[in-house]
Amino acid sequence: MSDNNEQANNPNNDNKYLDMDLLRFTTAGSVDDGKSTLIGRLFYDSKSIFEDQMEAIEKSSKGSGEEDVNLALLTDGLKAEREQKITIDVAYRYFATPKRKFIIADTPGHTQYTRNMVTGASTADLAVILVDASKGLLTQSRRHAFISSLLRIPHLVVAVNKMDLVDYDEKVFNEIVSEFRGFAKKLNVSDVTYIPISALKGDNVVDKSENTDWYNGSTLLHHLETVKVDADENIIDFRLPVQYVIRPNQNFRGFSGRVASGHIRPGDEITVLPSGLSSKVEKIVTRGEDLDIAYPGDSVTLTIEDEIDISRGDMIVRKNNVPTVRNDFEAYVCWMNEKPMELGKKYILQHTTRTTQVFAEELVYRMNVDSLNQEDADQLKLNEIGRVRLKSSQPIFFDAYQINKKTGSFIIIDAATNVTVGAGMMRAGSTVSKKPKSSSNKRKSPNVVWEPWNIPREEREKRNGHKASLLWFTGISGAGKSTIAKQVERRLWEDGKQTMLLDGDQVRHGLNGDLGFSPGDRAENIRRVGETARLFFEHGNIVLCTFVSPYAKDRETAKSLFPEGDFKEIYITCNPETAHERDPKGLYKKAEEGEITGLTGYDANHEAPENPAITINTDEMTVDESVEAILELLD
């Protein structure tokens, strides 16, 4: 057995092993890109294979007439997989190094097994997308990258494999990186790392390769050991789906479940859904001893001060921080059954610990995962993904998937066969369907008749020499929105473009000076800004708006004022710790000192755009690089 396994399994190191960080990652890519071989190489070079395992693999490889040891046999466990030399099922493997523990989900590359990829990637912190250097970026690799983005996997590694087949040519690697970067601009992924490897020969998998002396980055294993994953956990919004009510005697009544997100302490005020009744936490009981605080992943039993009727399927949340409660909502659904999804048919929805009947009201669109285009469709077939309007018989308590994976995901079960037929990721509430909106939804004063523009925008665009456009910069305070937007405007102005910059601080000193920061006031703030921006837009300007605008619904409202394609949502993001360190306006310091509450990025969440025109991660890109990327988007 290897040194690493000896260290991980030594009884003297049990506590150290249990306390180690855990990284869940998945491998994905096209057929024969080398996913299983890569995992085998990770095990082999990190000395994480038992001797009897190695002997069995060597014997099997020789029996198949292969010259080299087929490391893919470590993960291809089904007989059909070994015979066909492909991956069909999701294979989970576990190993550890002195720095971190790992759970690997090896997912199939064939199109017909896309549902298996969704299953394997649903709990991953990182996805390794393999690309065959000799074939380039194929459709299935794009498909898996899109699904990884849809599942909100925060970190992507593009491993350009089989570099040995192209003589470790730097030009080939750079071409694939450039092509993927262009594709990634359409995805909501902020952290992408590119590594040239050869899983068969071992280049840059565990040890640095002399064959790629032009590559200065880390090896794959080093990146897996050092990538930060803690910052991706939601520790703000407390959610405890009740799984079981414990009543051993008349003197004790507790509500058990696993903390899905957030944290809670004895004495904290809570609200129970769906009743809406409130109380305070009395104790946090566990098998060993009572806790002073419970974090995500902790299995606990809460006792509360008041007698409230609480049952399995209810949810305990922090008072004044409740999820969306409704029985109609929209979600991205991946269909996993040979029988297509039927509109109007009753299915069973399993969401956290709550089970209820549900039916699909409308298929808003089907997503072409190869081109990322939205297509009209009447049904979802096996392995297809679409945006669906659903209605349940009982209210569901959920957060948008992008904020909270645990309370933003669900499965759909066929009531007749009890088979799981779909998996879904909830959007931020239920929005209007694809059907045209009634003009009555638009605000106007009474007894006012619309007056057309005196000089149409098209004439102004012709005189200006460029089209009008709206750039909406959104993100938490300190991410860099205003800094980047000002530089973009300066470059456009110097290039002779007509521009207008609307900044959150400016409008709150005048136009919106009467508004606070409640959800209602935030919505009105964005509504007014959207209407103002539209006036400048109709004047033929390139309008830049820099607003935290934390709610997706408010940004959608602003977007609806502009012609399709002219509203470009630019997501400026960074690690929250980075934003706290920058703290350009001193807001985070005030929040820490208790002067302000509900600060986005501190004790309130920002709903990231689902499909931004571009995502800028200021942890990885300089201001100049960010400006160039946005100008390229405009071009």
Side-chain angles (χ1 to χ4, degrees):
M1 188 169 65
S2 74
D3 293 338
N4 286 341
N5 267 332
E6 287 176 355
Q7 180 170 357
N9 292 282
N10 189 328
N12 296 326
N13 292 311
D14 280 349
N15 291 334
K16 180 180 178 183
Y17 177 77
L18 292 173
D19 291 338
M20 290 172 65
D21 285 341
L22 171 65
L23 175 70
R24 298 173 182 266
F25 72 93
T26 181
T27 57
S30 194
V31 181
D32 293 331
D33 278 349
K35 298 178 293 298
S36 299
T37 303
L38 173 62
I39 294 175
R41 174 60 64 181
L42 274 171
F43 275 63
Y44 183 76
D45 282 3
S46 64
K47 299 180 177 59
S48 300
I49 305 176
F50 290 96
E51 291 180 3
D52 58 340
Q53 284 181 304
M54 196 63 208
E55 290 173 1
I57 292 169
E58 289 174 347
K59 182 179 179 180
S60 181
S61 298
K62 289 179 181 179
S64 302
E66 299 181 54
E67 294 182 5
D68 297 318
V69 176
N70 187 356
L71 296 174
L73 297 179
L74 275 169
T75 55
D76 289 342
L78 299 177
K79 182 179 179 181
E81 294 178 325
R82 294 196 174 203
E83 289 175 349
Q84 300 177 51
K85 296 183 180 179
I86 63 171
T87 301
I88 297 174
D89 200 4
V90 180
Y92 292 95
R93 291 294 180 268
Y94 313 86
F95 79 103
T97 69
K99 296 182 178 179
R100 181 172 269 174
K101 296 179 295 187
F102 301 94
I103 298 178
I104 313 171
D106 181 24
T107 60
H110 289 69
T111 303
Q112 63 264 42
Y113 302 125
T114 298
R115 56 182 170 176
N116 299 42
M117 187 271 170
V118 173
T119 302
S122 60
T123 58
D125 304 305
L126 179 147
V128 179
I129 308 293
L130 275 88
V131 178
D132 188 333
S134 64
K135 298 178 182 177
L137 188 60
L138 300 179
T139 296
Q140 191 67 347
S141 296
R142 295 173 185 265
R143 177 190 296 264
H144 286 179
F146 167 71
I147 293 173
S148 298
S149 168
L150 194 64
L151 290 170
R152 289 297 187 269
I153 298 177
H155 309 282
L156 289 189
V157 174
V158 178
V160 183
N161 192 23
K162 303 186 181 182
M163 288 297 296
D164 55 302
L165 298 184
V166 294
D167 298 324
Y168 303 96
D169 190 343
E170 181 183 7
K171 182 179 178 183
V172 172
F173 174 73
N174 289 337
E175 287 175 350
I176 292 174
V177 169
S178 177
E179 185 177 1
F180 192 92
R181 278 180 175 159
F183 175 74
K185 289 179 180 178
K186 304 176 184 178
L187 306 177
N188 188 15
V189 180
S190 58
D191 180 25
V192 185
T193 302
Y194 303 89
I195 304 176
I197 67 169
S198 171
L200 182 64
K201 303 297 183 182
D203 299 280
N204 293 328
V205 178
V206 172
D207 301 313
K208 289 282 286 185
S209 172
E210 296 179 356
N211 296 314
T212 55
D213 53 4
W214 41 266
Y215 172 69
N216 298 318
S218 66
T219 63
L220 176 61
L221 181 60
H222 180 266
H223 181 75
L224 295 176
E225 288 179 327
T226 56
V227 66
K228 292 183 179 180
V229 293
D230 294 338
D232 304 315
E233 198 169 63
N234 185 332
I235 59 173
I236 296 174
D237 305 309
F238 175 70
R239 309 285 186 256
L240 179 72
V242 177
Q243 185 171 355
Y244 193 67
V245 179
I246 298 178
R247 189 73 182 263
N249 54 59
Q250 295 296 320
N251 300 320
F252 185 91
R253 188 164 184 252
F255 310 100
S256 301
R258 173 175 285 187
V259 179
S261 62
H263 61 278
I264 197 75
R265 293 182 175 89
D268 286 350
E269 290 187 296
I270 55 95
T271 296
V272 180
L273 301 175
S275 68
L277 298 176
S278 298
S279 183
K280 288 186 178 181
V281 176
E282 186 178 47
K283 293 181 181 179
I284 304 175
V285 182
T286 63
R287 184 177 180 182
E289 58 183 359
D290 293 354
L291 300 180
D292 295 326
I293 186 170
Y295 289 106
D298 289 347
S299 294
V300 298
T301 299
L302 298 186
T303 64
I304 60 177
E305 294 180 356
D306 302 288
E307 286 288 337
I308 297 178
D309 181 20
I310 304 176
S311 307
R312 174 181 169 84
D314 292 354
M315 184 179 288
I316 300 175
V317 301
R318 192 184 296 277
K319 190 176 181 181
N320 299 325
N321 183 350
V322 299
T324 301
V325 180
R326 56 191 309 159
N327 64 350
D328 61 325
F329 54 91
E330 287 189 359
Y332 287 109
V333 174
C334 176
W335 200 249
M336 299 178 167
N337 194 258
E338 287 79 5
K339 292 182 63 176
M341 182 189 75
E342 297 180 34
L343 296 180
K345 177 180 177 178
K346 287 185 179 180
Y347 295 97
I348 296 174
L349 180 82
Q350 177 72 57
H351 173 259
T352 62
T353 59
R354 194 168 183 82
T355 303
T356 182
Q357 288 186 337
V358 70
F359 64 91
E361 283 190 309
E362 178 188 1
L363 175 56
V364 181
Y365 58 76
R366 180 179 60 205
M367 179 65 75
N368 184 325
V369 295
D370 301 329
S371 64
L372 302 188
N373 290 330
Q374 300 171 2
E375 301 174 344
D376 290 333
D378 298 322
Q379 60 182 6
L380 279 184
K381 298 179 181 178
L382 176 64
N383 294 318
E384 292 183 338
I385 297 172
R387 182 169 153 185
V388 183
R389 292 192 72 199
L390 298 155
K391 190 162 189 175
S392 58
S393 59
Q394 298 179 18
I396 302 297
F397 332 119
F398 66 93
D399 300 284
Y401 183 83
Q402 64 204 48
I403 295 175
N404 196 326
K405 290 185 178 182
K406 295 290 193 303
T407 60
S409 58
F410 61 88
I411 60 172
I412 301 174
I413 302 169
D414 189 293
T417 64
N418 209 34
V419 171
T420 300
V421 294
M425 293 142 282
M426 289 161 158
R427 289 166 47 82
S430 181
T431 57
V432 293
S433 71
K434 63 184 178 182
K435 296 180 176 63
K437 290 184 284 189
S438 169
S439 59
S440 62
N441 290 335
K442 194 168 181 177
R443 278 198 184 187
K444 68 179 183 66
S445 300
N447 303 316
V448 173
V449 178
W450 170 253
E451 182 69 26
W453 304 107
N454 184 42
I455 301 175
R457 169 168 38 88
E458 292 76 12
E459 289 187 31
R460 297 181 184 275
E461 290 176 335
K462 187 174 181 180
R463 172 175 287 188
N464 291 342
H466 63 81
K467 283 183 63 64
S469 187
L470 190 289
L471 304 182
W472 191 281
F473 294 75
T474 181
I476 64 175
S477 177
K481 301 182 300 298
S482 296
T483 301
I484 295 171
K486 288 176 181 177
Q487 292 283 358
V488 171
E489 188 194 27
R490 173 56 62 183
R491 289 282 299 276
L492 291 170
W493 177 258
E494 291 175 350
D495 196 36
K497 305 295 191 295
Q498 300 297 314
T499 65
M500 184 64 203
L501 175 65
L502 296 176
D503 183 79
D505 289 334
Q506 292 173 338
V507 298
R508 282 188 176 272
H509 274 81
L511 175 67
N512 295 346
D514 60 321
L515 299 177
F517 292 90
S518 67
D521 280 358
R522 285 184 181 275
E524 176 61 14
N525 180 53
I526 298 305
R527 188 195 70 81
R528 294 182 191 179
V529 169
E531 294 285 0
T532 303
R534 185 185 173 216
L535 296 175
F536 287 111
F537 172 82
E538 293 294 345
H539 203 262
N541 295 301
I542 298 174
V543 188
L544 301 89
C545 297
T546 61
F547 294 85
V548 173
S549 46
Y551 304 125
K553 184 178 180 181
D554 297 341
R555 299 194 300 268
E556 283 291 325
T557 299
K559 182 178 180 179
S560 68
L561 299 173
F562 297 85
E564 186 170 348
D566 288 330
F567 183 101
K568 295 176 174 60
E569 196 169 15
I570 300 173
Y571 181 35
I572 309 296
T573 183
C574 68
N575 191 308
E577 294 176 0
T578 304
H580 294 181
E581 290 174 3
R582 292 172 180 166
D583 201 9
K585 302 170 186 176
L587 297 177
Y588 293 112
K589 183 179 180 181
K590 291 181 179 179
E592 290 172 359
E593 294 173 350
E595 293 184 33
I596 57 176
T597 59
L599 175 62
T600 305
Y602 183 77
D603 56 354
N605 272 313
H606 180 278
E607 297 176 1
E610 293 183 347
N611 293 297
I614 188 171
T615 297
I616 301 292
N617 188 329
T618 55
D619 282 327
E620 301 171 357
M621 300 175 67
T622 65
V623 173
D624 289 341
E625 291 172 339
S626 303
V627 170
E628 291 299 333
I630 293 170
L631 291 176
E632 183 180 342
L633 171 70
L634 271 178
D635 291 339

